[in-house]
Amino acid sequence: MAGGNRTSPTKRRAFVKPKKKQARAALADAAVPQAPPIHRFPSAPSTAPLERCISRILLLRFKSDVARLYSSRLTRICQNILPALMLDIVVVAGPGWVAANAASEDMKAFLRGPIAMDLRQAGERVATKSVLWSYTAIRHFAISHDVEICPHSGVHSMRLLPYLPQLEAHRASLEAMPPPQFSKPPSLNPSNAKLEVLQTHCRQKVKRLLAQYSEQTPGAQYDSYVESITKKKRPGLDESKLPPTWKDWHLKLTVGYDLLVKTVWEVANEFNPADTDHLGEVCEPTVREDEEEYGHKSRSGKGREWDGRGAGVVGWNTADEEDVWESKLDFGFDERGFPDDIRSAKDLIEMRYVKAEREKELGNRAFKHGRYTEAVEAYTRAHSIEPEVAHYQLNLAAAHLKLANWMEAEQACTKSLSLHRSEKGFWRRAKARQMLGKRDEAIQDLKDVLKLQPRNTEAIAELESLASSSPPLDIARGGIGGSGSTSSSNWNGAHGSSAFSGGSSSSSSKFPFEFADSDFTKLKVIPSKRIWDLSDPNSRESFLYPTWDTYEIQLV
């Protein structure tokens, strides 16, 4: 029809045919099994920012908890171990040796060993407790904001999402705090029981010396004779006839102890103290059990917000607080992954160390014979076994420097320095950065060497050659190496306060006594070797295994 709008039959079939094809295709698709639909929260907001925030909070609190708990450990070391060490030294060199040598490089080198061995266990000993405390803190935050807690899976991140700004504010407050440092916890008062034992031993020694240098002979009535001498002057002893080594012995012990404790804290601070819903599933039963047993009557609502620490530690924040480094690590492991001849080791920590030391020794032998690529491979294996021990990366850096692998050497030093700020780490990184053309960074590394060793002549010469236009170096006079150094001469007095402060002092007060020649006897305190029996009954293997209570005192 002219002017009409009707569709021709041919065109009509053309339109209908595709519809029939679609229907047949739909029927064919229906015959094929379909995957079940994925149910999603309708327009659920992303929890990624919240997860990142919580992860950052966990890491920051973990570092703080390591510093806190290891500070408790070091306090007890100062109370119990250092007096025993001093007693062993007094027997060899007299009461003034520690005061004269407490800050020597040899003494620091000895102290670094057990501290490093302790901190390599920080992950196993602190991580579980730290995660539990951080989860508990987040849970208290949720409770204070009336967020529902699931009895099985705990705090769910979706329910915390509306409170992301508050969580971000807490994260920002943690990041704004100074970096965690090792220092004596205020709740742990210094105990001098072991120091008193040392003083008692020395007092008996002084009594015998007074009897020896007296004009009279004690004979068979030695004890009563000594008592008659000591009763002439109370409460002290008449020291006028003592040899120079033992003059002012009590004061020497007190000053030496203060300085040695101060050195312990300084060396410790060379070291750097890492799906949240699943975290809740793990921690929730423990937190509920803790609350049922102890309750929280003194803290409720907002009073509990961001307060999560203490669970799982006996005597938390009291003078009787548990030393978690003394508790036995309770986790299973498969001994089949270790050689038969070291399965006699006490625990996984010891096995792991032996295995890493074996690789290090292979690297040392290769390095000594100039096979630096082989040394790199061995040191890399050692680090993979013990990633929390800094010196494997230092050895790796030395091998890379020999191979002119400057970037790899710099990276290895940086990894080592992230664990322990050592003179060798800064020195080797400075050499690598010089070769990479990073002059300013190399200068800074050399300055850091001099902060640790102010009289390091190699570092001074290298720094002066790199920064010849700089003002003359002001070389400090304290804290210098050498076992006979009197670098401890800046004693800040007051036993029981400065000794446990964990900080440094700029006090320049002089010693309140005169040193004797024996106070500069050349001594070294070195770790004892641990011996493991091998599978061959006639074979044994030994490695240096630094601990606080196994050491040797050697005359140099």
Side-chain angles (χ1 to χ4, degrees), residues 407-477:
M407 292 182 64
E408 291 83 353
E410 180 189 25
Q411 291 168 1
C413 289
T414 300
K415 286 182 181 179
S416 176
L417 290 167
S418 70
L419 297 169
H420 176 219
R421 294 180 296 108
S422 65
E423 170 267 332
K424 287 184 180 179
F426 286 119
W427 172 259
R428 290 175 186 174
R429 192 170 68 174
K431 301 299 289 185
R433 286 177 166 177
Q434 277 184 266
M435 302 307 296
L436 290 169
K438 299 180 179 180
R439 176 178 173 276
D440 293 341
E441 290 92 334
I443 288 175
Q444 183 57 52
D445 282 340
L446 291 171
K447 290 180 179 178
D448 288 330
V449 170
L450 293 176
K451 288 179 183 178
L452 297 172
Q453 291 188 350
R455 292 183 183 175
N456 188 312
T457 55
E458 287 183 295
I460 292 172
E462 195 72 27
L463 183 59
E464 288 177 342
S465 68
L466 285 175
S468 56
S469 59
S470 300
L473 293 175
D474 182 14
I475 302 173
R477 297 297 177 187

Side-chain angles (χ1 to χ4, degrees), residues 53-103:
C53 176
I54 291 176
S55 298
R56 182 64 177 162
I57 288 173
L58 292 178
L59 178 61
L60 292 169
R61 291 175 71 100
F62 171 68
K63 292 180 177 179
S64 176
D65 290 335
V66 170
R68 168 68 175 80
L69 285 175
Y70 193 60
S71 292
S72 297
R73 161 74 167 174
L74 278 183
T75 301
R76 287 186 169 83
I77 293 296
C78 293
Q79 293 170 352
N80 301 320
I81 301 297
L82 294 191
L85 171 62
M86 289 181 63
L87 177 57
D88 292 335
I89 293 174
V90 166
V91 171
V92 178
W97 190 93
V98 172
N101 298 275

Side-chain angles (χ1 to χ4, degrees), residues 67-379:
R68 168 68 175 80
L69 285 175
Y70 193 60
S71 292
S72 297
R73 161 74 167 174
L74 278 183
T75 301
R76 287 186 169 83
I77 293 296
C78 293
Q79 293 170 352
N80 301 320
I81 301 297
L82 294 191
L85 171 62
M86 289 181 63
L87 177 57
D88 292 335
I89 293 174
V90 166
V91 171
V92 178
W97 190 93
V98 172
N101 298 275
S104 69
E105 275 306 310
D106 286 339
M107 182 59 73
K108 288 181 179 179
F110 166 72
L111 295 173
R112 288 180 187 117
I115 290 174
M117 294 295 281
D118 278 350
L119 290 177
R120 67 189 262 270
Q121 305 175 29
E124 287 88 349
R125 296 192 178 275
V126 180
T128 303
K129 298 180 186 298
S130 178
V131 168
L132 176 63
W133 298 341
S134 294
Y135 169 76
T136 309
I138 293 170
R139 184 178 182 273
H140 288 172
F141 169 81
I143 291 173
S144 70
H145 289 81
D146 299 321
V147 174
E148 184 179 354
I149 309 294
C150 174
H152 171 66
S153 59
V155 183
H156 197 286
S157 57
M158 286 297 296
R159 291 173 177 164
L160 285 175
L161 199 56
Y163 304 99
L164 178 59
Q166 290 94 320
L167 290 165
E168 290 282 8
H170 180 60
R171 175 194 56 77
S173 69
L174 292 176
E175 291 178 332
M177 295 174 64
Q181 285 194 320
F182 299 111
S183 60
K184 178 195 142 329
S187 58
L188 296 179
N189 296 323
S191 170
N192 298 324
K194 294 297 179 70
L195 186 60
E196 290 172 1
V197 171
L198 169 63
Q199 293 170 343
T200 299
H201 170 85
C202 291
R203 186 174 290 108
Q204 296 300 322
K205 171 72 173 178
V206 169
K207 288 180 180 180
R208 290 192 292 271
L209 287 172
L210 287 173
Q212 177 183 347
Y213 285 91
S214 175
E215 295 178 358
Q216 301 181 33
T217 304
Q221 304 297 325
Y222 177 78
D223 291 335
S224 60
Y225 174 75
V226 169
E227 288 300 319
S228 68
I229 295 176
T230 59
K231 288 177 181 177
K232 289 181 179 179
K233 181 180 180 182
R234 282 186 174 272
L237 299 171
D238 183 5
E239 299 180 349
S240 60
K241 296 183 179 180
L242 286 175
T245 298
W246 284 88
K247 291 288 180 65
D248 299 314
W249 64 272
H250 191 280
L251 192 55
K252 288 178 178 179
L253 289 180
T254 302
V255 172
Y257 179 72
D258 279 348
L259 291 172
L260 186 58
V261 170
K262 180 180 176 182
T263 301
V264 168
W265 291 109
E266 289 177 351
V267 170
N269 279 302
E270 294 175 4
F271 294 82
N272 297 322
D275 130 49
T276 57
D277 285 331
H278 179 64
L279 167 67
E281 190 172 340
V282 172
C283 295
E284 182 66 23
T286 303
V287 177
R288 285 182 178 269
E289 181 181 344
D290 181 64
E291 289 186 344
E292 289 173 4
E293 183 174 355
Y294 300 105
H296 294 283
K297 296 179 181 179
S298 62
R299 296 179 292 119
S300 60
K302 282 285 185 180
R304 293 164 61 183
E305 187 174 356
W306 298 126
D307 179 11
R309 297 195 293 174
V313 171
V314 178
W316 169 260
N317 212 30
T318 70
D320 299 321
E321 181 178 300
E322 174 189 5
D323 181 353
V324 298
W325 262 262
E326 287 296 325
S327 59
K328 181 176 176 59
L329 286 175
D330 184 16
F331 50 75
F333 61 93
D334 185 4
E335 292 184 356
R336 291 172 298 180
F338 292 87
D340 290 336
D341 51 26
I342 60 172
R343 288 185 189 172
S344 60
K346 290 188 299 185
D347 52 32
L348 175 61
I349 294 291
E350 195 169 289
M351 283 185 171
R352 201 172 62 194
Y353 177 76
V354 173
K355 191 174 181 181
E357 283 293 294
R358 281 180 161 178
E359 296 294 346
K360 186 199 78 172
E361 290 301 321
L362 291 175
N364 288 349
R365 286 196 290 270
F367 188 96
K368 184 177 179 180
H369 291 90
R371 302 192 302 271
Y372 302 121
T373 301
E374 183 180 332
V376 164
E377 295 171 352
Y379 294 143

